[in-house]
Amino acid sequence: MHVLWFNMKMDEGDPLLAFTIDWVNAFARYVDRVTVVTMVAGTYRVRDNVRVLSMGKERGFSEPRRALEFYRLVGRTLRRDPVDACFAHMVPLFAVMAAPLLKLYRVPTVLWYAHGHVPRILRVAHRLVDREMTSMPNAFRIPSTKLHVVGQGVDTDVFVPAPRGTPAPADAFTVVHVGRLSPIKDLGTLVAAADELVNRRGRTELRVELVGDVCIPSDEAYRAELEGMVRRAGLQEHVRFRGAMAFREVPSCYVDADVAFNGCPTGAPDKAALEALACGVPLVASNETFTGILGGDAPGLVFRQGDAADLADKLERLAGRGAAERRALGMRLRDTVVADHSLDRWARLLLRIIGEVTGGTRAARASLEPSDP
């Protein structure tokens, strides 16, 4: 089987999108060939049966030229090497652009989309694609009979619980957030909760680690706002801005973490939060989508969006539970991620969905056993 794959970026150095390389490689274990057409190609390592074709943004190509490159690469692939199916990862625009060619060559399309925002281009793509995939039920906001909910695709062989590193002070309690510094992450509520705990409740053992940086210029003001909040509250010894970190280094962030924070609004679950759970670290979140993952522990871990006092209460109770109890809680939550959100499960489900849209021809004969480790 040969699958055409649309991606935004193939670059191991990108802190947000490097994981898509793992997705490609995981899926490529189950098929003959994968051809990736990507907006940007940086440094990447892929399996021998994966070919990467770039539209040239990394070479400074203009938007019109990238569009021409897209059509040239897709057209050439369809003409020279028969394609069984197309998979578009978070790029409904590419699915729409390619639709005339894909329809001409009778190539079905599967679209992955997991985000609370519903842009107009997604509605157009929804009408054109054959199947849709998302991570959790409310991560795709258009009612659809085409939709498959398949989990988040976390590499649970990379994001694993690790022995704690250099012993922290006995009274330390560390909260970690991994992700870009952006208003949607609601990090101001976390800083306000730290202010409440340290300056009003005397919980001076609190440490907050913010791993990540701004990704677009418009968020520079938000970072400055957060830094100002920290200074005004006198929290410089308690809140640390660690900057961006390479994706491969992220698991190390959780070695000494007691809890992970996620302040995104209800909607698509943040992949970074599930990676924290895969590392056996409990999660406090305002996104009610996590309620199903957190199960019976959700009441103590899901706080009201934007409510710093409620978040402070949740963190204080977690701190009082002790390290061994938190560790046991984290391991229970990891089991849920492994069962429902692992990368290998995700790749197998994508293969099954492609089998449906290809009418059970070559995809039906594809083995569900990987070609090699």
Side-chain angles (χ1 to χ4, degrees):
M1 193 201 311
H2 179 201
V3 174
L4 177 63
W5 186 300
F6 296 152
N7 228 7
M8 283 297 295
K9 198 170 192 178
M10 294 284 285
D11 187 0
E12 293 178 353
D14 188 281
L16 298 179
L17 295 175
F19 77 89
T20 60
I21 300 171
D22 295 336
W23 278 22
V24 170
N25 284 328
F27 179 71
R29 297 175 66 201
Y30 295 99
V31 295
D32 298 312
R33 298 185 307 287
V34 177
T35 297
V36 179
V37 174
T38 183
M39 178 84 79
V40 180
T43 301
Y44 56 85
R45 287 167 288 182
V46 292
R47 292 172 57 87
D48 291 342
N49 62 334
V50 177
R51 178 176 56 167
V52 177
L53 306 174
S54 174
M55 287 177 261
K57 187 173 183 179
E58 76 280 1
R59 289 172 280 169
F61 287 5
S62 66
E63 189 170 296
R65 183 171 178 183
R66 293 199 303 271
L68 290 174
E69 281 294 297
F70 176 82
Y71 282 113
R72 184 181 70 83
L73 296 171
V74 172
R76 186 181 68 182
T77 300
L78 292 171
R79 288 192 306 271
R80 296 182 179 179
D81 193 0
V83 172
D84 295 286
C86 175
F87 176 69
H89 172 247
M90 284 301 290
V91 279
L93 174 62
F94 293 171
V96 171
M97 289 173 63
L101 283 172
L102 296 173
K103 300 293 184 186
L104 178 64
Y105 283 85
R106 298 183 180 179
V107 175
T109 302
V110 178
L111 171 67
W112 167 274
Y113 192 85
H115 199 281
H117 182 49
V118 183
R120 182 175 299 177
I121 194 67
L122 177 62
R123 296 188 182 278
V124 177
H126 165 64
R127 295 179 177 274
L128 295 173
V129 301
D130 298 272
R131 293 289 189 278
E132 292 149 337
M133 296 173 62
T134 194
S135 54
M136 297 187 70
N138 60 357
F140 191 92
R141 298 300 184 91
I142 301 175
S144 176
T145 58
K146 308 174 186 178
L147 185 64
H148 293 258
V149 179
V150 298
Q152 189 64 65
V154 174
D155 192 337
T156 53
D157 292 328
V158 172
F159 289 90
V160 296
R164 295 183 69 85
T166 302
D171 60 351
F173 179 75
T174 302
V175 183
V176 172
H177 174 268
V178 176
R180 68 187 189 276
L181 303 183
S182 172
I184 198 172
K185 304 295 186 179
D186 196 23
L187 297 170
T189 297
L190 177 57
V191 174
D195 183 16
E196 169 71 23
L197 288 168
V198 173
N199 294 322
R200 294 176 180 81
R201 304 187 190 183
R203 302 304 298 257
T204 57
E205 76 279 12
L206 180 70
R207 301 291 182 270
V208 175
E209 302 280 327
L210 302 179
V211 181
D213 208 340
V214 297
C215 292
I216 55 176
S218 60
D219 285 342
E220 294 283 356
Y222 183 68
R223 178 175 60 187
E225 177 185 337
L226 292 173
E227 292 171 343
M229 288 180 67
V230 170
R231 286 194 303 272
R232 289 191 295 273
L235 295 172
Q236 295 92 327
E237 294 184 3
H238 299 273
V239 179
R240 181 165 65 146
F241 293 83
R242 295 183 56 181
M245 181 174 290
F247 178 69
R248 302 297 177 195
E249 298 175 8
V250 168
S252 67
C253 298
Y254 299 115
V255 170
D256 293 319
D258 293 291
V259 62
F261 167 85
N262 189 272
C264 290
T266 296
D270 193 333
K271 187 170 181 291
L274 287 167
E275 290 167 350
L277 292 175
C279 289
V281 177
L283 173 73
V284 289
S286 57
N287 187 341
E288 293 181 1
T289 301
F290 283 112
T291 300
I293 298 173
L294 301 175
D297 297 296
L301 299 174
V302 177
F303 66 95
R304 291 185 295 273
Q305 178 74 38
D307 190 332
D310 187 34
L311 173 58
D313 289 342
K314 298 292 193 296
L315 292 174
E316 191 166 37
R317 291 191 189 103
L318 277 170
R321 293 177 70 169
E325 189 176 347
R326 287 194 301 270
R327 180 80 171 178
L329 169 60
M331 295 305 293
R332 288 201 307 273
L333 297 175
R334 170 180 162 81
D335 289 343
T336 299
V337 174
V338 172
D340 298 333
H341 297 275
S342 73
L343 179 55
D344 186 64
R345 177 181 183 273
W346 182 93
R348 289 170 178 260
L349 288 172
L350 173 56
L351 184 64
R352 291 183 187 277
I353 293 165
I354 286 176
E356 291 180 12
V357 297
T358 54
T361 53
R362 297 177 73 183
R365 298 196 299 270
S367 172
L368 283 176
E369 294 301 320
S371 55
D372 57 53

